[in-house]
Amino acid sequence: MKMHLWSEFIAVIKKEVVPALGCTEPISVALAAAIAAQKLSGKVQKIAVCVSPNLMKNGMGVGVPGTGMVGLPIAAAVGAIAGDPTAGLEVLKRITPKDVIQAKALLNCDSVSVNVADVSYTLYAKVTVSSGIDFITVTIADSHTQVLSIEENGVSTYIAPQFCSKKPQSYDPFKDIVVKDLYDFAVNIPISYISFIEQAQTLNEALSIEGLTENYGLQVGMTFQRNIERGLLSHGLLTDVIMHTSAAADARMDGAMKTAMSNSGSGNQGITATVPVVVAAAYLGVGKDKTLRALVFSHLVAIYIKSQQHKLSALCGASTAAMGAAAAITFLLGGNYQQISHSLSSMIADIAGIICDGAKPSCALKVSSAAGAAVKAALLALDGMHASGDDGIVTNDVDQSIQNLCALVNGSMMQTDVQILDIMINK
């Protein structure tokens, strides 16, 4: 066991599994606007936003918490009016109905513009807030909360240190790591070291309950619930996993004012890595300690796979997160490491082709498909069935299968992403 890396695994989980209120792409715009507005002397009069094509893709149709609206203009406006510049991905947690009215007034006056920028960053948001006299520009790039630069009345007042000179080679905790190392960590780490992951359960379960009690989005979770009541479906592991997981996505993607625990910069990925595992643990009557181990395993596998892919790629992130859930559910069902690796192989064979065509309420459909696939892969693995090296991009080595998936995402699916963006922007 590579115990010397355990502290690094914990650090990467704490970095990548964080609370986020709302879809993280429009939230990054809201955060840039909030930081800029804080430095502005005078009332916000105009807001100009420039974003990368991929950020536009994930910001066009998704609900912005507390506003009842979708899109980047309202995110920028309410962020500038009332966003908390110190709250990171929870920048909108303190907005009020009065703030939303003021933000909508800016939109009604055509005082907010959003354009697509030709930049090298996949994740990029540049927001300029003006009072009519002064103007402040804040640029966020590379990650949802990383401020690249700040300009005040055209004068640069801040440049992120890592961009001032040649960026040093960062330490990669996953270098020379295989899935077995992640498994060894999850089953052997002292529980006290990973108790923090319980917050993921608390936050994402609350979102699920919200989605099952209020009318959000496509109501995928509520549809399952209604059809159980009608007798067309019945409670069971598969049904309950799909119902609860999709309900959380319903609520989040339609702007519920409840924080998700994200994974790799995505609330839906955090939901998909969390809720199926929590539901399976409750269904099986598993104790708290094993549930926490399963949650850490799920989130770490999801991070491990996602870290090998380009940011905001053409592959739906929920499918990557569900691979972590499949591994964790297999573990909860008593599966050994070989069976866990088999469940991951089946997931790659099953849902590798789910595209990301932006953040929007119908993402709950993809979340439900990914969550259901995780249960299916786990059950197959326990019965000794799995996709083998004769099946497409899958090999008989799970880590090589993951590398093949990521090569597909980082290679030919780059053109898929271009085509998706072209279709969406020209609709």
Side-chain angles (χ1 to χ4, degrees), residues 30 34-35 38 77-87 91-93 95 99:
I35 295 170
Q38 182 189 41
V78 77
I81 293 295
D84 181 348
T86 67
V91 59
L92 301 183
K93 65 182 179 180
I95 64 171
D99 298 327

Side-chain angles (χ1 to χ4, degrees), residues 331-344:
F331 164 70
L332 288 172
L333 288 166
N336 56 32
Y337 173 71
Q338 183 180 45
Q339 290 167 318
I340 288 168
S341 66
H342 287 167
S343 73
L344 287 169

